[in-house]
Amino acid sequence: MDKIKFATVWLAGCSGCHMSFLDLDEWLIDLAAAVDVVFSPVGCDLKTYPDGVDVCLVEGAIANQENLELIYDVRRKTKLLISFGDCAVTANVPAMRNMLGSSSAVLKRAYLELGDVTPQLPDEPGIVPELLDRVVPVHEVVPVDIFMPGCPPSADRIRATLEPLLKGEMPVMEGRSMIKFG
Amino acid sequence: MSVKTLTIDGTAIAIEEGATILQAAKEAGVPIPTLCHLEGVSDVGACRLCLVEVKGINKLLPACVTEVAEGMDIQTNTEKLQTYRRMTVELLFAEGNHVCSVCVANNNCELQDVAVQVGMDHSRFTYRFPDRGVDISHKQFGIDHNRCILCTRCVRVCDEVEGAHVWDVAQRGAACYIVSGLNQPWGEVDACTSCGKCVDACPTGAIFRKGDTTAEKIGDRAKLEFLVTAREQQKWTR
């Protein structure tokens, strides 16, 4: 049997979920034996998301044009998409800018009103991705198969989610140890 | 005093007239999730988490404000109720701005606990991201309306236990919010005795002690029950 093709992506989040993933310590060796890491900011050097991915952990909310394009790509090419952590599940801290209103209000606040030295709006089309007007959780954009809340989800929770998948079973996302937010 | 007999989830129970379904369930050891209920103050049926099914009645009834009646056949945990409870909690999360990871009450929050209890791993409803305020004009405490679920426990504890009635509810519908005094900054309300009972009554991180940061609000909710027992039954131990 071919190895499971495993990916992780990092959208609008702080990378804390990926740090927690690295906290799996020795179990990462077992995981590496069971899967092929085909795309990941912490486990692979590829820059384009490949076809035919079996399982993908998605960290972060959808906050800009690049996040949006990548998540559509990920959904199209992935069998099982996991919302990985509170930013993916609820939009969490990145979405606190939604209270200010549109993206222009946010940019104005951050780069003009709070800009101490040469305040100016960032404008590099094609290089700096445009902000979306609203930061949204992943499932508001594409269908999600498994929700793994937590800020970040503990290494134990990540392992308890992934381990059944390696055996072809679905994890049971129930109880404080699996679904507590924060 | 007359006694009513009824069944809860198939178990026969006898309880005095005037008791609520919630009290009867508690006596029978049947857990019903609640948020706005607080031992020691009156019930208002604000959160709708304790909804139960009563045979022969076509709508769901809040257990905390429904009195028991002779022969009632009550179900507390049907599939229909589980669906509604989870929906209620999802709506609470989508309505306000509940960011657990940066909240004073993280790990000590009744809303967070109830989300786990009803099995909520995400909200199916679109988050509103309302523009709500924070009042830190009081010298010891603050209120963050983003985290408020309008359970009105602060309103009731301040009125019924402390007797100060600093808090009340203003506006209607989605615009509802908790006001202090005559819609003044909390720090300017003379009636406030700074007793802190509202801080202990608050199920979330909406009312907090200044200086508490993420996950540092550790509530002492049993204190309110203790105060009421002390006052009513002159029992000063716990």
PDB file of all heavy atoms in Angstrom, chain B residues 8 14 16 20-21 44 46 54 60 63-64 81 85 136 141 168 172 176 189 206 222 229 233:
ATOM      1  N   ILE B   8     -38.613  11.670  35.356  1.00  0.00           N
ATOM      2  CA  ILE B   8     -37.592  12.367  34.563  1.00  0.00           C
ATOM      3  C   ILE B   8     -36.702  11.296  33.934  1.00  0.00           C
ATOM      4  O   ILE B   8     -36.102  10.495  34.643  1.00  0.00           O
ATOM      5  CB  ILE B   8     -36.753  13.321  35.429  1.00  0.00           C
ATOM      6  CG1 ILE B   8     -37.656  14.397  36.048  1.00  0.00           C
ATOM      7  CG2 ILE B   8     -35.641  13.961  34.605  1.00  0.00           C
ATOM      8  CD1 ILE B   8     -36.943  15.425  36.888  1.00  0.00           C
ATOM      9  N   ALA B  14     -40.487  12.111  43.538  1.00  0.00           N
ATOM     10  CA  ALA B  14     -41.469  12.864  44.311  1.00  0.00           C
ATOM     11  C   ALA B  14     -40.795  14.114  44.833  1.00  0.00           C
ATOM     12  O   ALA B  14     -39.688  14.047  45.378  1.00  0.00           O
ATOM     13  CB  ALA B  14     -41.984  12.014  45.471  1.00  0.00           C
ATOM     14  N   GLU B  16     -41.635  18.427  46.427  1.00  0.00           N
ATOM     15  CA  GLU B  16     -42.697  19.314  46.913  1.00  0.00           C
ATOM     16  C   GLU B  16     -43.218  20.221  45.802  1.00  0.00           C
ATOM     17  O   GLU B  16     -42.475  20.591  44.885  1.00  0.00           O
ATOM     18  CB  GLU B  16     -42.214  20.134  48.129  1.00  0.00           C
ATOM     19  CG  GLU B  16     -41.268  21.266  47.825  1.00  0.00           C
ATOM     20  CD  GLU B  16     -39.796  20.867  47.940  1.00  0.00           C
ATOM     21  OE1 GLU B  16     -39.472  19.648  47.880  1.00  0.00           O
ATOM     22  OE2 GLU B  16     -38.971  21.760  48.080  1.00  0.00           O
ATOM     23  N   THR B  20     -39.007  23.550  40.794  1.00  0.00           N
ATOM     24  CA  THR B  20     -38.869  23.602  39.336  1.00  0.00           C
ATOM     25  C   THR B  20     -38.404  22.238  38.817  1.00  0.00           C
ATOM     26  O   THR B  20     -37.922  21.401  39.588  1.00  0.00           O
ATOM     27  CB  THR B  20     -37.826  24.656  38.905  1.00  0.00           C
ATOM     28  OG1 THR B  20     -36.542  24.258  39.411  1.00  0.00           O
ATOM     29  CG2 THR B  20     -38.185  26.034  39.422  1.00  0.00           C
ATOM     30  N   ILE B  21     -38.552  22.062  37.516  1.00  0.00           N
ATOM     31  CA  ILE B  21     -38.085  20.817  36.898  1.00  0.00           C
ATOM     32  C   ILE B  21     -36.581  20.673  37.116  1.00  0.00           C
ATOM     33  O   ILE B  21     -36.065  19.583  37.361  1.00  0.00           O
ATOM     34  CB  ILE B  21     -38.425  20.796  35.384  1.00  0.00           C
ATOM     35  CG1 ILE B  21     -39.944  20.754  35.190  1.00  0.00           C
ATOM     36  CG2 ILE B  21     -37.762  19.612  34.686  1.00  0.00           C
ATOM     37  CD1 ILE B  21     -40.392  20.805  33.735  1.00  0.00           C
ATOM     38  N   VAL B  44     -34.440  33.155  35.455  1.00  0.00           N
ATOM     39  CA  VAL B  44     -35.136  33.961  34.453  1.00  0.00           C
ATOM     40  C   VAL B  44     -35.321  33.246  33.102  1.00  0.00           C
ATOM     41  O   VAL B  44     -36.028  33.737  32.233  1.00  0.00           O
ATOM     42  CB  VAL B  44     -34.400  35.300  34.190  1.00  0.00           C
ATOM     43  CG1 VAL B  44     -34.518  36.208  35.398  1.00  0.00           C
ATOM     44  CG2 VAL B  44     -32.950  35.062  33.821  1.00  0.00           C
ATOM     45  N   ALA B  46     -33.080  32.755  30.640  1.00  0.00           N
ATOM     46  CA  ALA B  46     -32.509  33.599  29.585  1.00  0.00           C
ATOM     47  C   ALA B  46     -31.705  32.827  28.546  1.00  0.00           C
ATOM     48  O   ALA B  46     -31.701  33.192  27.378  1.00  0.00           O
ATOM     49  CB  ALA B  46     -31.609  34.677  30.200  1.00  0.00           C
ATOM     50  N   VAL B  54     -41.633  17.859  27.605  1.00  0.00           N
ATOM     51  CA  VAL B  54     -42.656  17.327  28.505  1.00  0.00           C
ATOM     52  C   VAL B  54     -43.741  16.698  27.652  1.00  0.00           C
ATOM     53  O   VAL B  54     -44.282  17.338  26.745  1.00  0.00           O
ATOM     54  CB  VAL B  54     -43.248  18.441  29.406  1.00  0.00           C
ATOM     55  CG1 VAL B  54     -44.309  17.860  30.336  1.00  0.00           C
ATOM     56  CG2 VAL B  54     -42.146  19.122  30.206  1.00  0.00           C
ATOM     57  N   LEU B  60     -40.865  23.146  23.735  1.00  0.00           N
ATOM     58  CA  LEU B  60     -39.831  22.842  24.711  1.00  0.00           C
ATOM     59  C   LEU B  60     -39.930  23.840  25.862  1.00  0.00           C
ATOM     60  O   LEU B  60     -40.221  25.017  25.652  1.00  0.00           O
ATOM     61  CB  LEU B  60     -38.454  22.943  24.047  1.00  0.00           C
ATOM     62  CG  LEU B  60     -38.271  22.066  22.800  1.00  0.00           C
ATOM     63  CD1 LEU B  60     -36.901  22.299  22.177  1.00  0.00           C
ATOM     64  CD2 LEU B  60     -38.459  20.599  23.137  1.00  0.00           C
ATOM     65  N   ALA B  63     -36.304  24.266  32.003  1.00  0.00           N
ATOM     66  CA  ALA B  63     -36.449  23.541  33.268  1.00  0.00           C
ATOM     67  C   ALA B  63     -36.313  24.456  34.476  1.00  0.00           C
ATOM     68  O   ALA B  63     -36.910  24.209  35.519  1.00  0.00           O
ATOM     69  CB  ALA B  63     -35.410  22.422  33.343  1.00  0.00           C
ATOM     70  N   CYS B  64     -35.554  25.558  34.333  1.00  0.00           N
ATOM     71  CA  CYS B  64     -35.269  26.408  35.506  1.00  0.00           C
ATOM     72  C   CYS B  64     -36.456  27.242  35.941  1.00  0.00           C
ATOM     73  O   CYS B  64     -36.512  27.673  37.083  1.00  0.00           O
ATOM     74  CB  CYS B  64     -34.045  27.294  35.243  1.00  0.00           C
ATOM     75  SG  CYS B  64     -34.300  28.580  33.999  1.00  0.00           S
ATOM     76  N   LEU B  81     -33.357  17.643  21.744  1.00  0.00           N
ATOM     77  CA  LEU B  81     -32.820  18.591  22.732  1.00  0.00           C
ATOM     78  C   LEU B  81     -31.328  18.800  22.545  1.00  0.00           C
ATOM     79  O   LEU B  81     -30.820  19.921  22.641  1.00  0.00           O
ATOM     80  CB  LEU B  81     -33.108  18.102  24.155  1.00  0.00           C
ATOM     81  CG  LEU B  81     -34.573  18.164  24.586  1.00  0.00           C
ATOM     82  CD1 LEU B  81     -34.773  17.398  25.892  1.00  0.00           C
ATOM     83  CD2 LEU B  81     -35.035  19.604  24.746  1.00  0.00           C
ATOM     84  N   ARG B  85     -29.623  22.362  21.913  1.00  0.00           N
ATOM     85  CA  ARG B  85     -28.625  22.875  22.856  1.00  0.00           C
ATOM     86  C   ARG B  85     -27.348  23.261  22.132  1.00  0.00           C
ATOM     87  O   ARG B  85     -26.778  24.313  22.371  1.00  0.00           O
ATOM     88  CB  ARG B  85     -28.313  21.821  23.923  1.00  0.00           C
ATOM     89  CG  ARG B  85     -29.265  21.891  25.064  1.00  0.00           C
ATOM     90  CD  ARG B  85     -28.909  20.953  26.187  1.00  0.00           C
ATOM     91  NE  ARG B  85     -30.120  20.747  26.952  1.00  0.00           N
ATOM     92  CZ  ARG B  85     -30.568  19.570  27.366  1.00  0.00           C
ATOM     93  NH1 ARG B  85     -29.874  18.484  27.118  1.00  0.00           N
ATOM     94  NH2 ARG B  85     -31.692  19.498  28.030  1.00  0.00           N
ATOM     95  N   ILE B 136     -13.618  50.228  31.572  1.00  0.00           N
ATOM     96  CA  ILE B 136     -12.661  49.985  32.660  1.00  0.00           C
ATOM     97  C   ILE B 136     -12.557  51.217  33.565  1.00  0.00           C
ATOM     98  O   ILE B 136     -11.513  51.512  34.135  1.00  0.00           O
ATOM     99  CB  ILE B 136     -11.259  49.568  32.124  1.00  0.00           C
ATOM    100  CG1 ILE B 136     -10.781  50.542  31.042  1.00  0.00           C
ATOM    101  CG2 ILE B 136     -11.272  48.155  31.601  1.00  0.00           C
ATOM    102  CD1 ILE B 136      -9.301  50.419  30.743  1.00  0.00           C
ATOM    103  N   PHE B 141     -12.544  46.867  38.880  1.00  0.00           N
ATOM    104  CA  PHE B 141     -13.093  45.885  37.939  1.00  0.00           C
ATOM    105  C   PHE B 141     -13.260  46.462  36.536  1.00  0.00           C
ATOM    106  O   PHE B 141     -13.200  47.670  36.355  1.00  0.00           O
ATOM    107  CB  PHE B 141     -14.466  45.396  38.414  1.00  0.00           C
ATOM    108  CG  PHE B 141     -14.529  45.058  39.875  1.00  0.00           C
ATOM    109  CD1 PHE B 141     -15.370  45.754  40.731  1.00  0.00           C
ATOM    110  CD2 PHE B 141     -13.739  44.033  40.402  1.00  0.00           C
ATOM    111  CE1 PHE B 141     -15.438  45.438  42.082  1.00  0.00           C
ATOM    112  CE2 PHE B 141     -13.796  43.712  41.746  1.00  0.00           C
ATOM    113  CZ  PHE B 141     -14.648  44.421  42.598  1.00  0.00           C
ATOM    114  N   ASP B 168     -28.295  46.624  34.877  1.00  0.00           N
ATOM    115  CA  ASP B 168     -29.579  46.341  34.237  1.00  0.00           C
ATOM    116  C   ASP B 168     -29.343  46.083  32.754  1.00  0.00           C
ATOM    117  O   ASP B 168     -28.207  46.157  32.291  1.00  0.00           O
ATOM    118  CB  ASP B 168     -30.567  47.492  34.449  1.00  0.00           C
ATOM    119  CG  ASP B 168     -31.960  46.938  34.747  1.00  0.00           C
ATOM    120  OD1 ASP B 168     -32.372  45.996  34.031  1.00  0.00           O
ATOM    121  OD2 ASP B 168     -32.608  47.420  35.687  1.00  0.00           O
ATOM    122  N   ARG B 172     -32.866  46.398  22.953  1.00  0.00           N
ATOM    123  CA  ARG B 172     -33.637  45.190  22.662  1.00  0.00           C
ATOM    124  C   ARG B 172     -32.897  44.337  21.631  1.00  0.00           C
ATOM    125  O   ARG B 172     -32.058  44.832  20.892  1.00  0.00           O
ATOM    126  CB  ARG B 172     -35.012  45.561  22.087  1.00  0.00           C
ATOM    127  CG  ARG B 172     -35.844  46.401  23.018  1.00  0.00           C
ATOM    128  CD  ARG B 172     -37.106  46.861  22.316  1.00  0.00           C
ATOM    129  NE  ARG B 172     -38.093  45.787  22.234  1.00  0.00           N
ATOM    130  CZ  ARG B 172     -38.956  45.496  23.196  1.00  0.00           C
ATOM    131  NH1 ARG B 172     -38.962  46.187  24.315  1.00  0.00           N
ATOM    132  NH2 ARG B 172     -39.833  44.521  23.057  1.00  0.00           N
ATOM    133  N   CYS B 176     -29.015  44.539  22.630  1.00  0.00           N
ATOM    134  CA  CYS B 176     -29.036  44.470  24.097  1.00  0.00           C
ATOM    135  C   CYS B 176     -27.630  44.532  24.685  1.00  0.00           C
ATOM    136  O   CYS B 176     -26.706  43.949  24.148  1.00  0.00           O
ATOM    137  CB  CYS B 176     -29.635  43.139  24.542  1.00  0.00           C
ATOM    138  SG  CYS B 176     -31.382  43.228  24.870  1.00  0.00           S
ATOM    139  N   VAL B 189     -20.787  55.151  39.086  1.00  0.00           N
ATOM    140  CA  VAL B 189     -22.061  54.747  39.690  1.00  0.00           C
ATOM    141  C   VAL B 189     -21.899  54.703  41.215  1.00  0.00           C
ATOM    142  O   VAL B 189     -21.216  53.838  41.755  1.00  0.00           O
ATOM    143  CB  VAL B 189     -22.524  53.368  39.154  1.00  0.00           C
ATOM    144  CG1 VAL B 189     -23.845  52.963  39.792  1.00  0.00           C
ATOM    145  CG2 VAL B 189     -22.667  53.420  37.637  1.00  0.00           C
ATOM    146  N   ALA B 206     -16.582  38.284  30.935  1.00  0.00           N
ATOM    147  CA  ALA B 206     -17.111  39.624  30.659  1.00  0.00           C
ATOM    148  C   ALA B 206     -16.846  40.592  31.806  1.00  0.00           C
ATOM    149  O   ALA B 206     -16.470  41.736  31.586  1.00  0.00           O
ATOM    150  CB  ALA B 206     -18.608  39.545  30.356  1.00  0.00           C
ATOM    151  N   ALA B 222     -19.152  29.456  44.265  1.00  0.00           N
ATOM    152  CA  ALA B 222     -19.782  28.879  45.454  1.00  0.00           C
ATOM    153  C   ALA B 222     -19.923  29.933  46.550  1.00  0.00           C
ATOM    154  O   ALA B 222     -20.727  29.775  47.463  1.00  0.00           O
ATOM    155  CB  ALA B 222     -18.945  27.708  45.946  1.00  0.00           C
ATOM    156  N   THR B 229     -26.933  31.185  51.810  1.00  0.00           N
ATOM    157  CA  THR B 229     -27.215  30.220  52.890  1.00  0.00           C
ATOM    158  C   THR B 229     -26.944  30.855  54.251  1.00  0.00           C
ATOM    159  O   THR B 229     -27.702  30.695  55.206  1.00  0.00           O
ATOM    160  CB  THR B 229     -26.308  28.968  52.748  1.00  0.00           C
ATOM    161  OG1 THR B 229     -26.247  28.624  51.375  1.00  0.00           O
ATOM    162  CG2 THR B 229     -26.849  27.799  53.539  1.00  0.00           C
ATOM    163  N   GLN B 233     -30.151  30.956  56.423  1.00  0.00           N
ATOM    164  CA  GLN B 233     -30.199  29.873  57.424  1.00  0.00           C
ATOM    165  C   GLN B 233     -29.209  30.079  58.560  1.00  0.00           C
ATOM    166  O   GLN B 233     -29.047  29.216  59.415  1.00  0.00           O
ATOM    167  CB  GLN B 233     -29.919  28.531  56.728  1.00  0.00           C
ATOM    168  CG  GLN B 233     -30.947  28.200  55.656  1.00  0.00           C
ATOM    169  CD  GLN B 233     -30.482  27.038  54.779  1.00  0.00           C
ATOM    170  OE1 GLN B 233     -29.672  26.215  55.205  1.00  0.00           O
ATOM    171  NE2 GLN B 233     -30.985  26.974  53.564  1.00  0.00           N
TER     172      GLN B 233
END
